[in-house]
Amino acid sequence: MTTWITICDTCKREGWDAGDMSQTDGESLAYLIEAAATGLSGVKTRRVSCLMGCKRGCNIAIQGKDKLNYTLGDFEATTEAASGIVAYAISHHKSETGQVPYRDWPQAVKGHFITRHPPLPDTE
């Protein structure tokens, strides 16, 4: 099963409007995550407009079918953040339940977790 890194591309961190404003902070982070995830097996990226976590931007979600899913935020658009997010997504992909032991979390994601969502029930 694929683990998805869902990236809010409309996130704007405080002070965004003091820069060149050619792209949002979310777009900048998205480019870095996409580059770090290029060619990976089992991990894919997608962009969405607004994860509704504006006070904690930049926001991403780590999601997989039948697994625990996570929302993370308060990221700056840096290669370190992008690499940590992708490394965590790889561990999420390898985990049967989506739970990754804290000792295995990349330093770049520690302190950035906002919510954990249980898998949706399989009812039809």
Side-chain angles (χ1 to χ4, degrees), residues 79-114:
T79 53
E80 179 184 1
S83 295
I85 291 165
V86 171
Y88 185 84
I90 292 168
S91 295
H92 180 272
H93 171 69
K94 291 178 180 177
S95 168
E96 187 175 317
T97 63
Q99 188 167 6
V100 178
Y102 180 79
R103 68 180 173 275
D104 296 336
W105 292 8
Q107 186 62 41
V109 300
K110 290 181 179 178
H112 292 273
F113 285 80
I114 299 171

Side-chain angles (χ1 to χ4, degrees), residues 7-16 24-27 29 50-60 71-77 81 85 111-112 114:
I7 311 151
C8 177
D9 64 5
T10 56
C11 280
K12 297 173 187 166
R13 294 180 53 84
E14 188 173 329
W16 170 80
T24 64
D25 295 310
E27 288 174 303
L29 183 59
C50 198
L51 286 175
M52 295 184 75
C54 300
K55 289 186 179 185
R56 297 184 111 173
C58 292
N59 295 285
I60 60 104
T71 306
L72 294 85
D74 285 325
F75 286 106
E76 292 185 30
I85 291 165
H112 292 273
I114 299 171

Side-chain angles (χ1 to χ4, degrees), residues 65-66 119-124:
K65 183 174 172 35
D66 298 326
L120 291 171
D122 195 16
T123 60
E124 294 195 28

